[in-house]
């Protein structure tokens, strides 16, 4: 899931540092990591830019979670 993937990509960074690296506010990242908010296309683009080696996995998880919401 996206939360697990983000936790993995965050690595040893704290939430504030990771949020800053993505160009989003720490409270926004916190809501995403708690599953209270999904990432949007802007954050998706930032993840793809910052972690090109994980591009396919990021896209797969994003599309899987967003398509599941549309089918519900």
């Amino acid at each position: 899931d996206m939360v697990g993937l983000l936790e993995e990509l965050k690595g040893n960074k704290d939430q504030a540092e990771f949020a800053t690296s993505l160009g989003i506010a720490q409270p926004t990242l916190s809501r995403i990591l708690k599953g209270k908010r999904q990432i949007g296309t802007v954050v998706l683009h930032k993840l793809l830019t910052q972690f090109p080696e994980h591009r396919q996995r990021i896209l797969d998880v994003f599309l899987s979670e967003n398509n599941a919401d549309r089918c519900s």
Side-chain angles (χ1 to χ4, degrees):
D1 70 332
M2 186 58 72
V3 171
L5 178 56
L6 288 172
E7 288 285 359
E8 181 182 326
L9 296 175
K10 183 171 80 66
N12 294 329
K13 294 177 184 174
D14 63 29
Q15 276 191 17
E17 186 179 1
F18 190 54
T20 298
S21 74
L22 294 176
I24 62 174
Q26 185 276 327
T28 300
L29 177 61
S30 179
R31 287 191 299 276
I32 292 168
L33 293 175
K34 289 178 182 177
K36 295 181 178 183
R37 178 178 175 159
Q38 291 184 320
I39 70 165
T41 55
V42 172
V43 175
L44 174 65
H45 183 265
K46 291 176 182 184
L47 287 168
L48 294 172
T49 301
Q50 189 166 346
F51 300 100
E53 67 277 13
H54 297 283
R55 177 182 173 84
Q56 192 60 52
R57 188 165 165 220
I58 293 167
L59 286 170
D60 288 346
V61 171
F62 178 82
L63 292 173
S64 171
E65 292 187 1
N66 282 283
N67 286 336
D69 287 346
R70 290 188 187 133
C71 294
S72 304

